[in-house]
Amino acid sequence: MVGRAGGVGGPRRPLNQRVAEPRVIRAARTRRTDQGGGRQRSRVVRGMRLFLNSHRAKLDKKGRVSFPAEFRAALDGIDSRTFYLRPHHMYGCVEGLSQPKLDALSDRLNQLDDYSEEAENLRLTLFGDTAQITYDAEGRFSMPQNLIDFAGLGESLVFTGMGDVFQIWEEQALERRKAEARQKARDNRLTVPGTARPPA
Amino acid sequence: MVGRAGGVGGPRRPLNQRVAEPRVIRAARTRRTDQGGGRQRSRVVRGMRLFLNSHRAKLDKKGRVSFPAEFRAALDGIDSRTFYLRPHHMYGCVEGLSQPKLDALSDRLNQLDDYSEEAENLRLTLFGDTAQITYDAEGRFSMPQNLIDFAGLGESLVFTGMGDVFQIWEEQALERRKAEARQKARDNRLTVPGTARPPA
DNA sequence: CGTAATTTCCCATGATATCCCAACTTATCC
DNA sequence: GGATAAGTTGGGATATCATGGGAAATTACG
């Protein structure tokens, strides 16, 4: 995997980019949350495309970073330039969420009893360090300093699509995390739960 | 309720003055999260944005503090400069509520039996020390002395967004609280309950 | 009712964030 | 291979935010 070492050379295409494919990803659009019974973990909002692939980017002197064009296109599907960034609670990276994703989380948290300890802990963890971000006409946004510090972001960082969310990593930390994920996926033979589940 | 330390006199409004009666807000628990069209949030009034992130602020010599611009923007969605502050009954911080949130609480408390012990305890806890606050044209408000004392607020304090409410903490106390919440979230793998639930 | 204290309103300034413009690089199309 | 479009990068101007101080208005007290 080569890239912009020292600011010179290297293709600008996303990391591990494959040959050109149609940009519309139909699976996401046709998935319906009303299929099947049982628990529904998340909603897919019509028009929103998935965040896919990994994209290298740079922080400049003013703390600005270019939001990857494909991620902008994903948000374009819901006519939005706004997303949310928060320190990940499990990994040393920044988690990115779209407005619909945040709204879905917010809706579910609102089902909890006010002033329960569970609600207080979840709200603080999910909202207490979550920054609302809007990218500008050039496709850039200012990365909050506390997130730079938390994830150890340097000049080079990587946006990693995770479907309906994305993550932002320091490059080396991402490599370690990916290796761990691959190993665990192999160990567990990587089963993906279906959507229809019998009641508990 | 005593007034400003070092000063004289109590609250400006008579003790038993009633606040405006709460407006009717649909009970949150009976509304189903909308899975189809636009974003609708239970218990959240349309136009009101979430309180997010953490914002450091300072108390000045006159007891004024700048209400964070993003929180002003959140209230702007409902065309309001008014919010409510109360000592949190679970943590050593100040809780902030919007008018709609206070109204929603009031509405739910109105479902309780009048003069029941539960209602008396909840009403006193939630309303007995709640101050109505309006920020001025510069975005500042005067922090009530009893809240400064209760939360141990010094010159530096932090506004923390919790979704539909916010909290105001002394900086070190917030860090401890956040660490606790993150640990609890990790212990529970930050599972946020889904929306389709079997009856209890 | 007069005076003192407190609160609210108004104005100015410095710092920071956002917006705007231009240039460069890379990818795509013909 | 050249032209064009798209994406990225750099810098400066402008707008917004936070802060400090004082004047005016309001409230409390004797």
Side-chain angles (χ1 to χ4, degrees), chain A residues 60-137:
Chain A
D60 72 8
K61 294 196 198 78
K62 295 178 175 180
R64 297 176 299 189
V65 63
S66 199
F67 195 48
E70 284 178 32
F71 286 12
R72 299 205 295 270
L75 292 182
D76 234 6
I78 50 169
D79 218 15
S80 173
R81 281 189 183 174
T82 297
F83 57 93
Y84 298 84
L85 297 180
R86 57 176 291 271
H88 204 294
H89 57 284
M90 300 288 297
Y91 308 112
C93 69
V94 176
E95 176 175 64
L97 305 100
S98 62
Q99 183 75 59
K101 180 69 177 181
L102 190 81
D103 289 346
L105 285 175
S106 179
D107 284 349
R108 280 153 52 210
L109 286 181
N110 286 339
Q111 304 301 319
L112 302 177
D113 292 339
D114 280 346
Y115 302 112
S116 69
E117 191 174 348
E118 180 190 29
E120 297 286 327
N121 289 334
L122 285 174
R123 286 183 203 286
L124 183 56
T125 303
L126 285 175
F127 297 138
D129 292 296
T130 298
Q132 181 186 56
I133 307 287
T134 305
Y135 62 81
D136 65 14

